[in-house]
Amino acid sequence: MAVVPVYNSILVPESTFVLQTDYYKKMTGKVPNQGEKVTVILCRENLPREELTEDSFYPIGVQGSISEVNQNGYIVIRTGSRVNLNEITIYNDHSIDLDITKRKDIDDLDPDVAEERLKKLKRQLFKYAENFENVQISRAFIAQWHSVGEIVSAMGPWLMNSSKERYAVLAEDSRAARQELMENMIYENFEAYKINNEAENAQEEEHKKIYREAAIKKQMEYLQKELDEMHPEEVTELRKFEIRIRESGMNETARKEAEKVLNRLKQEGQAGPESGMLYDYLDFLLSLSWVKEKAVNIDLDEAEAILNETHYGLQKVKSRILQQIAVMNLKRQQSGSILCFVGAPGSGKTSIGQGIANALGRKYVRVSLGGARDEADIRGHRRTYIGAMPGRIMDGIAKSGVSNPVMVLDEIDKLGVSYNGDPASALLEVLDPEQNNTFTDHYMNVPYDLSNVLFICTANTLDTIPAPLLDRMEVIQFQGYTPTEKYEIARRHLLPKAMRAVGIREESLSVTDDALNEIISDYTREAGVRGLKKRLDTLCRMAAVDIVRGKDEGLVIDTDNLRDYLDMHPIRHGLVKNEARPGVVTGLAWTQVGGEVLFIETLFTRGSGKTVVTGQLGDVMKESAQIAVSLVKSIFPEKTELFKESDLHIHVPDGATPKDGPSAGITLTTALSSLVTGVPVSPQVAMTGEVSLQGDVKPIGGLPEKLMAAQRAGATHVFIPKDNVEDLRDVAEEVKFVLEITPVSTVEEVLQALGILNDVIENVS
Ligand code: ADP
């Protein structure tokens, strides 16, 4: 007797069971012979014969005999009754021996009922056979079946039941119950097929629809393109918008909004009241770049070379910019910390922004914030307003035509505030890397990613920049240029540019070194080079006239004819009046346009002890003046009477800022001391420093600018607070070379050095 282990089959007693011949051979190690008795047993798992153990089987099997060995590779087993597997033995050669006993059925099946139900099942099967091509049962087949058992064992391979469910049929003792189990199995499976089929069909329909839609759209686009090409003159504005929207690479929100507006524009028609507004909106949205630019690696040497080419000097600034580029390279980012360039006008802040853009190979755009008073200036007006416009930031992005320009936000210190919201808070959002990737301009009403924009701010002073904004930025000071630097800038950049601008060739005009230096010293008075640029522009324009008139082949401008070509008088530098008078002392001030010298004048008039302060500074200066008066009274007690008998008039000329009030303390004190003692102070001696009532000299700000101003104005000796000595590192060598700089910590030191105190007359010059 052969023992055939099978897996995942439905074994039905008194029915048929079909097996592949090869499988039979493999699992039994025998060749099948017709008539041979077999016991078919069910495995719990699908295992090869070698791995089967005594525990691999369900405890009930079925007996039978091979009724047919088919030429097509099948054998048919006619099954008989069920058997209990009492003991299973597996030998070394993997053959299986069984100890079995018959297992009895409960004979509770009414043959008539069974017959009736079989008929019904067959009817259903005919129906299914028509509908389901994938269930391979033919009508002829169905007709042959005489029992539900035969149907189930024939259809076994297609039924979607687990091996446990399949075994349950064999394990069922009641014939009636077994029949019902098998019927249900078939009905359930057909239901499942039905649902599957429906779902598949539905899915197919859906896919078909999508494919069809895409195909139609493609076809339409193609045809429309052909038409457009045939009649380019007829491509309408709206059609152009459609194409531009499709090709823009907009984010989902923006595309939806654009399509919505385009539809409105279509409905509205050209003559509609809102068509202009809708048109402008679409045009603006589409003028923005919606594609993400790739971060490229920047060659630092090349970047440095470009910066050096466009700007002379500014070493500290350039090295900071290179650091930034290096960090951006390492982090593969297109933006980094927000730099804020602070310095006098014409010191190169804005133009170096252009240099940075060139060095990075990116587009440059300048956005002026001067006078921005409303939030709408930054963030735009809502479209419901008539004449609504995008804000300055998005306008700048549109102008640049890319999504990653270098954007210079100019004059961030000139932001205003009005009742319409604070532009600074909108700017905060623009500059915040956490938020600016979804910056939403009110006009656009859709988010735009600003995170790849490299922002650079410029300002003349830090004082008026709102603190939260300042917090976000890294400040880089532009201290202004020394005369030598100005000379180099003029020679290398400004003059050649000015000549090119009016079309003068190099050989037609030369300006001597002396003439250039004279323009710098006598015709400009500034920390930057704006005035210098203007002078050179004028010079070139005027020279152009002569050159065109053919007066001069190779025009040479030297100190003799310079004035004719500048069309202005030399600026009388306030200083350096040679005459020293008691009560007048040279002070140094810091202003938004760089350092300045100013002369503090004091005078006693007949009167009754009043103090008058005139000049721009008013109140702030009054305090300093009071401290100075008290100090001088205490230093020169014998002169106290003088203050009682006369009125004191202090005049501080315009030009300084209120901040300079305190730092003029030492100058005021010295001027007063000079006045009361009658000892004059050379105007070539300048000084800066705050004083305390104890007579200590306190540190001040803006030392580099002040010293530069002193040098510019022709001073030779400067007193500075001792605590500012550190700042001398930032002062150009050239300036330090010309000036004798004396750090002091008390007023007495100054007065002694100047010969005012202790009657030590010493001519300091
Ligand atoms: P700011 O923005 O500080 O007011 P700008 O950048 O507008 O100054 O500079 C004014 C002019 O001076 C520009 O034409 C600029 O090219 C020129 N300039 C300023 N600094 C330099 C420099 N270091 N080298 C060459 N040109 C300079």
Side-chain angles (χ1 to χ4, degrees):
M1 186 191 72
V3 178
V4 195
V6 297
Y7 172 72
N8 216 21
S9 302
I10 303 175
L11 295 180
V12 187
E14 283 144 22
S15 175
T16 46
F17 183 64
V18 179
L19 261 186
Q20 273 183 338
T21 315
D22 283 348
Y23 180 84
Y24 178 89
K25 284 183 192 163
K26 212 160 61 185
M27 295 309 275
T28 60
K30 293 179 180 169
V31 181
N33 289 315
Q34 200 171 359
E36 181 164 355
K37 282 204 162 208
V38 291
T39 309
V40 189
I41 53 178
L42 269 176
C43 303
R44 293 174 197 273
E45 281 179 284
N46 189 13
L47 295 172
R49 186 178 169 210
E50 301 78 41
E51 287 175 29
L52 290 172
T53 67
E54 286 78 2
D55 297 329
S56 302
F57 308 100
Y58 287 110
I60 300 172
V62 67
Q63 264 188 336
S65 58
I66 299 176
S67 64
E68 186 185 336
V69 180
N70 192 305
Q71 289 307 309
N72 299 332
Y74 290 96
I75 57 170
V76 180
I77 295 168
R78 181 78 221 160
T79 55
S81 50
R82 301 178 304 145
V83 289
N84 287 324
L85 313 182
N86 304 326
E87 203 180 321
I88 302 165
T89 318
I90 298 180
Y91 297 105
N92 280 349
D93 67 349
H94 309 297
S95 58
I96 304 169
D97 206 359
L98 298 175
D99 174 30
I100 49 174
T101 44
K102 248 192 193 168
R103 188 179 175 100
K104 280 208 172 131
D105 286 348
I106 302 168
D107 206 353
D108 51 358
L109 188 64
D110 181 336
D112 293 339
V113 175
E115 186 61 31
E116 207 37 54
R117 283 166 62 167
L118 177 66
K119 273 188 195 155
K120 191 177 154 208
L121 182 61
K122 276 187 166 183
R123 274 202 303 278
Q124 287 295 327
L125 281 177
F126 280 128
K127 228 157 107 193
Y128 288 135
E130 271 168 21
N131 292 339
F132 300 100
E133 298 142 19
N134 49 352
V135 181
Q136 297 171 359
I137 39 175
S138 71
R139 289 170 151 264
F141 233 165
I142 298 166
Q144 281 175 21
W145 287 328
H146 302 299
S147 70
V148 178
E150 272 177 21
I151 297 173
V152 166
S153 50
M155 287 179 56
W158 293 288
L159 300 182
M160 296 178 281
N161 293 83
S162 67
S163 93
K164 242 187 180 159
E165 286 168 343
R166 288 161 185 259
Y167 171 68
V169 173
L170 186 64
E172 184 53 66
D173 292 337
S174 150
R175 281 172 183 247
R178 190 185 306 143
Q179 168 118 355
E180 193 160 338
L181 210 60
M182 291 190 293
E183 281 171 11
N184 286 346
M185 237 177 183
I186 293 176
Y187 285 126
E188 270 169 27
N189 269 279
F190 273 107
E191 271 319 299
Y193 271 121
K194 212 160 113 187
I195 291 168
N196 234 7
N197 238 31
E198 275 168 10
E200 247 169 44
N201 286 346
Q203 236 175 14
E204 216 166 90
E205 278 299 304
E206 188 58 28
H207 277 147
K208 261 190 204 158
K209 218 169 112 189
I210 292 170
Y211 290 142
R212 205 175 145 71
E213 201 177 311
I216 291 175
K217 267 190 187 163
K218 268 237 157 60
Q219 221 161 9
M220 270 169 61
E221 269 167 32
Y222 176 76
L223 292 176
Q224 188 65 53
K225 211 166 154 193
E226 290 247 301
L227 268 180
D228 291 348
E229 274 167 14
M230 281 158 90
H231 305 283
E233 68 289 350
E234 282 177 17
V235 180
T236 63
E237 290 295 333
L238 296 183
R239 173 87 193 110
K240 276 187 202 157
F241 275 139
E242 232 162 64
I243 298 171
R244 282 169 71 193
I245 292 174
R246 202 175 51 235
E247 291 172 354
S248 66
M250 280 179 179
N251 60 44
E252 190 66 11
T253 334
R255 193 179 49 75
K256 278 191 181 145
E257 181 78 9
E259 279 170 358
K260 201 173 91 190
V261 172
L262 181 60
N263 283 338
R264 264 180 67 194
L265 192 57
K266 280 178 187 166
Q267 285 161 13
E268 183 108 334
Q270 292 231 315
E274 286 200 323
S275 67
M277 192 266 280
L278 298 172
Y279 182 96
D280 287 348
Y281 175 75
L282 277 181
D283 197 43
F284 176 75
L285 216 56
L286 290 165
S287 64
L288 298 170
S289 161
W290 293 89
V291 260
K292 252 200 156 65
E293 240 70 42
K294 278 212 181 84
V296 282
N297 226 24
I298 307 296
D299 183 332
L300 278 193
D301 292 338
E302 224 169 85
E304 189 173 14
I306 293 174
L307 288 177
N308 285 337
E309 206 175 284
T310 53
H311 281 74
Y312 176 81
L314 297 175
Q315 282 321 322
K316 261 176 105 176
V317 176
K318 285 177 188 166
S319 78
R320 179 61 191 85
I321 292 167
L322 289 175
Q323 288 162 21
Q324 172 108 341
I325 296 177
V327 173
M328 278 158 54
N329 262 2
L330 284 179
K331 293 177 81 180
R332 306 217 120 268
Q333 282 178 348
Q334 307 207 39
S335 59
S337 26
I338 292 148
L339 303 179
C340 181
F341 296 162
V342 180
S347 52
K349 302 180 300 293
T350 319
S351 52
I352 203 148
Q354 169 88 63
I356 295 172
N358 291 347
L360 293 173
R362 290 176 37 187
K363 286 267 164 48
Y364 165 85
V365 62
R366 179 176 161 270
V367 171
S368 174
L369 297 179
R373 291 171 62 238
D374 296 351
E375 195 196 353
D377 281 323
I378 306 297
R379 211 199 271 278
H381 299 271
R382 290 187 196 285
R383 260 181 293 149
T384 40
Y385 284 86
I386 292 177
M389 281 189 310
R392 295 189 194 185
I393 303 293
M394 287 317 299
D395 193 46
I397 297 282
K399 274 195 194 118
S400 78
V402 290
S403 60
N404 69 340
V406 172
M407 183 179 277
V408 171
L409 300 175
D410 221 0
E411 303 193 308
I412 198 159
D413 53 336
K414 311 271 188 308
L415 283 178
V417 184
S418 76
Y419 58 91
N420 274 337
D422 181 2
S425 59
L427 257 193
L428 270 182
E429 197 188 317
V430 171
L431 299 180
D432 184 351
E434 303 273 313
Q435 295 185 50
N436 68 6
N437 56 348
T438 54
F439 175 72
T440 305
D441 182 284
H442 286 329
Y443 176 78
M444 282 170 65
N445 202 25
V446 291
Y448 190 85
D449 185 358
L450 292 177
S451 62
N452 285 334
V453 180
L454 179 63
F455 290 106
I456 294 171
C457 304
T458 79
N460 292 138
T461 172
L462 292 177
D463 299 345
T464 49
I465 302 178
L469 262 186
L470 198 53
D471 250 13
R472 294 263 144 97
M473 303 187 289
E474 195 178 319
V475 173
I476 297 178
Q477 295 277 0
F478 282 55
Q479 280 157 352
Y481 300 112
T482 63
T484 319
E485 283 173 330
K486 285 182 184 175
Y487 168 81
E488 294 294 341
I489 292 171
R491 185 55 86 201
R492 292 166 194 240
H493 298 282
L494 302 180
L495 185 58
K497 247 194 247 171
M499 283 167 63
R500 273 199 302 275
V502 294
I504 299 179
R505 272 177 292 125
E506 213 178 302
E507 57 276 16
S508 314
L509 172 70
S510 70
V511 180
T512 65
D513 289 351
D514 287 345
L516 213 48
N517 279 322
E518 196 168 311
I519 301 175
I520 293 164
S521 63
D522 292 0
Y523 292 86
T524 64
R525 205 180 104 192
E526 58 178 355
V529 290
R530 234 178 233 174
L532 180 57
K533 182 173 181 297
K534 275 191 206 148
R535 296 303 98 76
L536 292 174
D537 288 345
T538 313
L539 181 144
C540 286
R541 272 200 315 275
M542 300 195 66
V545 176
D546 283 356
I547 291 169
V548 171
R549 286 214 168 117
K551 262 196 205 159
D552 266 296
E553 274 302 289
L555 178 59
V556 178
I557 295 180
D558 53 23
T559 46
D560 293 336
N561 61 359
L562 177 64
R563 199 165 162 181
D564 303 336
Y565 288 93
L566 289 180
D567 196 26
M568 71 180 279
H569 299 295
I571 297 170
R572 289 274 149 252
H573 281 296
L575 193 63
V576 168
K577 302 164 191 152
N578 292 324
E579 196 185 336
R581 280 202 214 130
V584 181
V585 173
T586 309
L588 296 173
W590 180 90
T591 71
Q592 289 191 15
V593 295
E596 280 282 348
V597 292
L598 46 87
F599 304 99
I600 292 188
E601 299 169 312
T602 54
L603 193 68
F604 277 127
T605 53
R606 208 185 276 195
S608 55
K610 276 188 285 186
T611 303
V612 184
V613 183
T614 55
Q616 195 190 15
L617 296 182
D619 287 347
V620 192
M621 218 33 123
K622 255 181 217 151
E623 280 179 19
S624 284
Q626 273 156 7
I627 294 175
V629 168
S630 303
L631 253 178
V632 171
K633 280 182 188 167
S634 79
I635 297 172
F636 303 99
E638 69 280 7
K639 307 285 183 191
T640 319
E641 284 305 303
L642 212 59
F643 286 95
K644 277 194 193 143
E645 293 161 4
S646 3
D647 286 349
L648 173 64
H649 188 160
I650 300 174
H651 180 68
V652 185
D654 295 352
T657 57
K659 231 177 79 170
D660 281 315
S663 72
I666 182 71
T667 323
L668 273 168
T669 314
T670 308
L672 270 182
S673 305
S674 155
L675 182 70
V676 296
T677 56
V679 180
V681 176
S682 161
Q684 285 167 316
V685 177
M687 57 191 71
T688 176
E690 203 177 324
V691 291
S692 73
L693 263 180
Q694 263 76 44
D696 296 331
V697 179
K698 299 278 186 57
I700 43 84
L703 188 73
E705 287 88 348
K706 285 178 176 174
L707 291 186
M708 230 180 258
Q711 180 222 16
R712 215 163 40 230
T716 52
H717 189 178
V718 181
F719 289 97
I720 63 164
K722 207 169 221 152
D723 290 344
N724 279 109
V725 167
E726 277 288 299
D727 299 346
L728 286 174
R729 270 196 316 194
D730 294 337
V731 178
E733 286 306 321
E734 181 188 342
V735 174
K736 287 191 271 193
F737 180 75
V738 186
L739 294 176
E740 184 185 345
I741 298 167
T742 311
V744 290
S745 46
T746 63
V747 171
E748 275 87 355
E749 285 174 56
V750 180
L751 298 183
Q752 275 165 4
L754 293 174
I756 298 173
L757 201 59
N758 293 342
D759 286 347
V760 185
I761 310 286
E762 196 181 290
N763 199 5
V764 180
S765 65

